[in-house]
Amino acid sequence: MLLKTIVTFPLLLMLPLCFHGQSLSGVWTGTLSNDSQTVRRDQQFELALTEYKGKLYGYSRTEFIVNDTLYYVVKRVKGVVGDSISEVTDDKIIASNFLHRIDKGVKVTSVFRLNKADSSWRMEGNWKTNKTRRYYSVSGGMTLAADPNPNRSRIMSHLQELGQGKDMVFAEKNAVAPVAPKAKPPVTKKEPTPLPVVTAAKERTTVVTQTITFTGDSLQLALYDNGEIDGDTVSVLLNDRVILSRQLLKQTAIRHTIHISPSEKELRLVLYAENLGRYPPNTGLLIIRDGVKEYSVRYSADLQQNAAIVLRRE
């Protein structure tokens, strides 16, 4: 069943999209769901688009988890802006970590309607694949919202790792300052003894990226590298106590369970970057499960800043 799931799901990732309304330049993030009972129903979906002279150019990224393993696909897309709708189609698969090739004969057609609500634009619609000799047609829905910080999005970080995305106009206008390379220590100089993780973490700035409420007496953590496997290594602290030490992020989950006493009302998880890997900064995906509830936290940390999540009892 796992093999069928992994082979079948990539067929859902070739996504021609249709839009109405304003310029679509920017990053759109959200979820993709499907009506099938045999493949994953919850997938994270992102689009990075540039509109220029009636045409659309850009990239898409989709990720999902099967049996504690995170899978992703990154594609180049292109399209044409019409009077009432705009169509975007897959152009080329840039990167994926699937075990098998994606069937190029399977195409997905998606239709979105652009509506303004709560001071933000959202795209909601549906999609359907064509039927081939090997696969039945599959349908589902999508919901996307404009990302207010496109250059901090997962898709742009992943494109940077792949050496792609430099052609995105919005990225050029709001370019992120390049990370200065680390100076190489003299060969004859002995490296200093590294500080204990708790002490070293306190010497960096800590930024709370998300606050999560919980009700249970235990929380399950699952930590992944959600991009190119580049050697990112992290330590995780809970209220200044190391619970995961120097973990090399991988495609498969690093798991840990937190047991919480009834008297504990608030906790703080800190993700401390042990290194920057080959593609700075140190980034990953942390899944937090509280019973049947699940929260996804995409973090970014470097040698000056930690990422933190506040856990607050409901």
Side-chain angles (χ1 to χ4, degrees):
M1 178 61 72
L2 173 59
L3 178 61
K4 181 178 179 181
T5 299
I6 295 175
V7 172
T8 303
F9 184 79
L11 307 179
L12 310 179
L13 307 178
M14 301 186 175
L15 308 173
L17 309 172
C18 300
F19 305 92
H20 300 260
Q22 68 175 20
S23 171
L24 296 172
S25 294
V27 169
W28 302 81
T29 63
T31 58
L32 177 155
S33 62
N34 65 77
D35 300 327
S36 171
Q37 299 300 313
T38 60
V39 295
R40 293 292 300 180
R41 301 178 63 86
D42 51 340
Q43 301 89 36
Q44 298 298 315
F45 183 60
E46 297 173 280
L47 278 172
L49 297 175
T50 292
E51 182 177 337
Y52 180 68
K53 292 186 176 180
K55 294 185 179 181
L56 291 170
Y57 307 89
Y59 303 85
S60 67
R61 183 182 187 276
T62 306
E63 71 176 38
F64 64 103
I65 296 173
V66 174
N67 289 358
D68 277 350
T69 301
L70 186 148
Y71 297 95
Y72 66 81
V73 61
V74 180
K75 300 171 294 179
R76 191 191 312 276
V77 298
K78 60 182 180 180
V80 179
V81 180
D83 293 335
S84 58
I85 63 173
S86 301
E87 295 186 353
V88 179
T89 60
D90 296 343
D91 184 29
K92 181 182 179 181
I93 296 173
I94 297 174
S96 77
N97 62 350
F98 298 130
L99 300 178
H100 302 274
R101 289 185 178 181
I102 298 175
D103 192 329
K104 295 181 179 180
V106 176
K107 301 293 182 181
V108 180
T109 300
S110 301
V111 178
F112 286 86
R113 289 172 176 78
L114 197 60
N115 296 310
K116 195 170 186 180
D118 300 328
S119 301
S120 65
W121 287 94
R122 297 182 61 84
M123 294 186 289
E124 299 183 1
N126 52 70
W127 55 266
K128 185 177 182 180
T129 67
N130 59 309
K131 184 178 180 180
T132 68
R133 291 182 179 181
R134 296 181 59 190
Y135 302 103
Y136 292 106
S137 175
V138 182
S139 60
M142 293 181 186
T143 301
L144 301 177
D147 192 324
N149 299 305
N151 290 291
R152 298 180 184 178
S153 65
R154 183 63 205 129
I155 187 171
M156 295 307 298
S157 297
H158 201 162
L159 289 172
Q160 184 178 16
E161 294 175 2
L162 296 167
Q164 302 284 338
K166 297 178 182 179
D167 53 338
M168 302 304 291
V169 173
F170 71 87
E172 294 172 359
K173 291 181 178 179
N174 303 292
V176 178
V179 177
K182 294 189 296 183
K184 295 183 179 180
V187 176
T188 57
K189 183 178 179 180
K190 185 178 179 180
E191 288 292 327
T193 302
L195 294 171
V197 173
V198 174
T199 303
K202 289 181 178 179
E203 292 188 353
R204 298 180 184 178
T205 302
T206 298
V207 177
V208 175
T209 60
Q210 196 165 335
T211 298
I212 293 173
T213 58
F214 67 92
T215 58
D217 294 327
S218 65
L219 298 174
Q220 287 75 47
L221 310 181
L223 191 59
Y224 305 85
D225 191 321
N226 65 336
E228 302 302 299
I229 307 301
D230 64 342
D232 284 342
T233 302
V234 299
S235 291
V236 181
L237 295 80
L238 177 65
N239 288 355
D240 295 331
R241 177 174 60 88
V242 179
I243 59 173
L244 290 171
S245 178
R246 296 180 171 86
Q247 297 293 312
L248 176 65
L249 298 184
K250 301 174 291 184
Q251 180 182 350
T252 53
I254 298 167
R255 290 195 166 276
H256 185 81
T257 299
I258 300 172
H259 297 283
I260 308 168
S261 67
S263 61
E264 292 182 289
K265 304 301 181 183
E266 185 170 297
L267 306 95
R268 188 170 77 156
L269 277 175
V270 173
L271 294 125
Y272 170 84
E274 296 282 357
N275 63 11
L276 298 181
R278 293 194 304 274
Y279 311 109
N282 187 314
T283 58
L285 171 66
L286 175 63
I287 303 292
I288 301 175
R289 291 188 177 90
D290 175 22
V292 297
K293 293 182 180 179
E294 181 176 291
Y295 305 91
S296 297
V297 180
R298 285 166 176 77
Y299 80 87
S300 175
D302 56 32
L303 302 183
Q304 288 77 44
Q305 181 173 292
N306 306 315
I309 300 99
V310 172
L311 305 172
R312 187 170 294 153
R313 189 179 292 279
E314 194 172 68

